[in-house]
Amino acid sequence: MPKGERLLWQGRPDAWALAIRVFHIRLVAAYFALLFVVRIAMRLSAQEPWGATMAGAARLAIPFAIAMVLLGGLAWLYGRTTRYSITSRRVLLQFGAVLPMTLNVPFGEVASAAVKTYGDDTGDLPLAVTSKQRLAFLLLWPHVRPWHLTRVEPMLRCVPAATKVAEILGAALAQASSATPEPADCMMPLPRPAQPVVATAA
């Protein structure tokens, strides 16, 4: 960390919150439940025996289990490979299960910040940036504000104790003063002394 810069907060997304709000695990479960009911209704309307009806509907259990394990595993992996940091000068988003990347957002490039909290005490903190460099939505997903494709907003997603984190970020932004703003960029870490590669949208 550069001299004079202090780490104010560091954390990871909540895996269960990611599973619910990013990978929509509840909607997938509801979809399979609907299929189960429909299959039972169709077989009963065809006057099939009750035992055969339940056995046929139970075949949905395998794809259901596969979907739950896959989505839950992805949520856990994204949570484990992501780290959000707030310093006295910037916000850092480190992410990437296969290709580790770092998004550096200096306070001088933050036009505004917001927070949206949920009942489980987690929340999302989107950042509106003024950088002239265009950020790539797909490259940053899921650490971006949904449906903001033309004006991409990096976001600290599914953060535990989001209200407290928002207070830390708000206080840091209020106190920050930067004479020469640094550009927000998305970098893939490379061995020194090579320069970082800046990834932008095509």
Side-chain angles (χ1 to χ4, degrees):
M1 187 172 296
K3 184 178 180 180
E5 187 171 358
R6 296 177 294 108
L7 179 65
L8 304 178
W9 175 86
Q10 192 171 75
R12 302 179 186 274
D14 181 83
W16 178 242
L18 284 175
I20 294 175
R21 296 199 294 273
V22 176
F23 297 100
H24 305 289
I25 197 169
R26 287 180 176 173
L27 291 179
V28 175
Y31 170 76
F32 276 97
L34 179 62
L35 285 182
F36 184 81
V37 172
V38 169
R39 178 165 292 190
I40 289 179
M42 292 179 62
R43 287 178 177 267
L44 289 178
S45 64
Q47 297 183 347
E48 291 189 8
W50 179 255
T53 297
M54 293 303 296
R59 293 175 184 172
L60 291 172
I62 295 178
F64 170 74
I66 293 175
M68 293 297 101
V69 170
L70 179 61
L71 295 177
L74 285 174
W76 178 85
L77 182 62
Y78 273 86
R80 290 289 297 176
T81 57
T82 299
R83 178 176 295 172
Y84 300 138
S85 304
I86 299 175
T87 75
S88 55
R89 295 182 181 177
R90 71 194 74 239
V91 177
L92 294 170
L93 289 78
Q94 297 169 292
F95 57 93
V98 178
L99 184 63
M101 305 185 71
T102 299
L103 176 67
N104 170 34
V105 186
F107 287 162
E109 294 290 334
V110 177
S112 64
V115 60
K116 181 178 182 181
T117 57
Y118 299 88
D120 58 358
D121 198 34
T122 64
D124 303 326
L125 284 78
L127 305 172
V129 298
T130 59
S131 173
K132 295 181 180 180
Q133 297 183 6
R134 185 178 177 183
L135 301 177
F137 184 92
L138 292 179
L139 188 65
L140 299 178
W141 187 90
H143 315 286
V144 286
R145 190 173 184 178
W147 310 115
H148 285 61
L149 303 179
T150 56
R151 192 73 175 179
V152 177
E153 295 186 12
M155 187 165 73
L156 280 64
R157 200 158 198 181
C158 301
V159 176
T163 302
K164 181 179 179 180
V165 178
E167 292 175 355
I168 294 173
L169 177 59
L173 287 170
Q175 295 176 3
S177 59
S178 177
T180 307
E182 302 174 49
D185 51 24
C186 191
M187 303 174 295
M188 290 182 287
L190 296 175
R192 295 182 178 180
Q195 296 295 321
V197 178
V198 178
T200 59

